[in-house]
Amino acid sequence: MYGGGYIFDEPNGKQLREEQQHDDPEKLAVFEERIARGEKIEPGDWMPTEYRRQLIRLIEQHAHSEIIGALPEGTWITRAPGFKRKLALIAKVQDEIGHGQLLYNAAETLGKSREAMINDLLSGKSKYSNVFNYPAESWADVTVIGFLIDAAAIVNQVANAKGSYGPYCRALERICYEESFHLKQGHDALITLATGTPAQREMLQDALNRWWQPIMHFFGPPDKSSQHSEKLMQWKVKMASNDDMRNQFLDAYVPKLWELGLTLPDPNLKKNAATGRWEYTDPDWNEFFKVIGGDGPCNKERLNVRKWAEEHGRWVRKALMNPKEERALPVA
Ligand code: FAQ
């Protein structure tokens, strides 16, 4: 484990209520006026304790999702069909790790050290996106991740890039440029399989059937049971609710799948022309909470890979942090 700790100690519920009471009401009013005017909040600016805590939680989870998110696709680099798809997948996986770095940097500006964040990931204290706890069984799974999960991430990130915290918004803008390229490579792979042999179409359809529910879960619980949305939207950290983002995603991508003659495993999925909203069968939210609570099909496997990387990279970090000490070691 890393040795670093919190600069900003995460308070418990009681501490938090006490700290919030100490948030100067005048400063809070000025802060909320700035948010209402659409100004960006920067690291040195005054901010309420709860705004800082929520941002750390959300950005940290996002960073972990990028790092863990590289794993299902990463296992396919050696098996991607053909040289060009291998190159594209290597570049994509490298990009995802880079996104993790950008996001850890953004979270660090709020006072939690990178070491503390990694420790919380490895101990299971911090969450990361539900979708990366499912196996990538075939090349079609990689295709579905590249097209639909990148698309879902873009819907979320394009909206939140217009939010209130400067470092997070700037990181998201850059991430979105790269994600759009990922989406193109996912779309290209999708078209290839959808217009390929019957076996390729079948493989794609099977992957879609398996991934549909986790993708519906991706945007978080329904608005009526979302814990954090109200405050986060008031403070312009989240720029749309979970259900609005889910709807936006369905609007943009379901027609693209149907046009290719693919089906989705929900007989109730349809757009209500009068309301403009999509109707669907509620995905199994018990399954969602089980997966994000650590008991999904691949949670243990994903964290074990990161633990292995942490242990086997320790000597590199040590050498970088204490170059003199390393130079003094006798050459074997
Ligand atoms: N997975 O009150 P809400 C990517 C938790 S990046 C796991 O509605 P909130 C790139 C939530 O944390 C993907 N946990 O929560 C890529 C909370 O638990 P807590 C990640 C989830 O924060 C592509 C509880 O449920 N993107 O894919 C999930 O207001 C391809 C209650 O929920 C981001 O992180 C979930 N899906 O809204 C990489 C974007 N949903 O913390 C490789 C930033 C909810 O109280 C390949 N995050 N929970 O214990 C967000 O926008 C928000 O955090 C939401 C959730 C919208 C995800």
Side-chain angles (χ1 to χ4, degrees), residues 57 61 127-128 130 156 218 220 226-228 238 242 292:
R57 178 191 67 83
Q61 285 182 9
K127 292 191 169 68
Y128 56 87
N130 69 300
N156 172 288
F218 179 92
S226 164
Q227 288 169 48
H228 307 294
K238 262 169 103 164
N242 298 357
I292 68 170

Side-chain angles (χ1 to χ4, degrees), residues 82-292:
F83 183 61
K84 286 188 181 161
R85 294 227 186 267
K86 277 192 179 57
L87 280 181
L89 192 59
I90 290 171
K92 178 178 194 272
V93 167
Q94 281 178 339
D95 286 351
E96 307 297 2
I97 300 297
H99 298 169
Q101 301 296 341
L102 288 172
L103 292 163
Y104 284 127
N105 287 345
E108 279 184 311
T109 64
L110 291 151
K112 183 167 177 180
S113 70
R114 166 103 45 136
E115 289 78 6
M117 290 187 260
I118 301 289
N119 284 348
D120 285 350
L121 168 69
L122 299 182
S123 72
K125 185 177 171 205
S126 282
K127 292 191 169 68
Y128 56 87
S129 186
N130 69 300
V131 282
F132 302 121
N133 289 308
Y134 292 86
E137 289 174 8
S138 73
W139 174 249
D141 291 48
V142 179
T143 302
V144 169
I145 295 173
F147 186 53
L148 291 183
I149 295 185
D150 278 276
I154 289 173
V155 166
N156 172 288
Q157 290 162 183
V158 165
N160 290 348
K162 298 187 188 72
S164 62
Y165 189 57
Y168 186 44
C169 297
R170 290 189 286 274
L172 288 182
E173 257 177 50
R174 176 156 167 202
I175 290 171
C176 284
Y177 288 127
E178 293 180 356
E179 299 280 32
S180 339
F181 195 71
H182 301 167
L183 182 67
K184 282 194 189 304
Q185 73 99 29
H187 189 240
D188 182 68
L190 180 92
I191 299 288
T192 305
L193 293 184
T195 57
T197 64
Q200 284 174 318
R201 272 186 75 87
E202 202 181 308
M203 182 170 72
L204 179 59
Q205 186 59 62
D206 171 60
L208 266 180
N209 294 346
R210 284 181 289 106
W211 281 90
W212 189 245
Q213 175 156 285
I215 289 171
M216 289 296 281
H217 286 152
F218 179 92
F219 297 93
D223 290 352
K224 60 180 185 306
S225 45
S226 164
Q227 288 169 48
H228 307 294
S229 286
E230 196 185 336
K231 201 71 192 163
L232 289 179
M233 288 177 72
Q234 182 198 330
W235 280 335
K236 296 190 182 167
V237 173
K238 262 169 103 164
M239 298 302 279
S241 76
N242 298 357
D243 285 337
D244 284 350
M245 291 210 199
R246 201 167 5 250
N247 197 66
Q248 211 182 317
F249 167 79
L250 294 172
D251 224 13
Y253 294 95
V254 171
K256 288 186 173 45
L257 299 170
W258 282 348
E259 269 166 25
L260 290 166
L262 297 161
T263 59
L264 292 165
D266 178 0
N268 298 320
L269 184 67
K270 64 169 187 302
K271 186 169 177 172
N272 181 324
T275 61
R277 306 287 293 186
W278 282 77
E279 292 168 4
Y280 45 83
T281 312
D282 224 14
D284 180 351
W285 291 107
N286 290 332
E287 155 89 4
F288 168 79
F289 285 110
K290 196 172 143 207
V291 171
I292 68 170

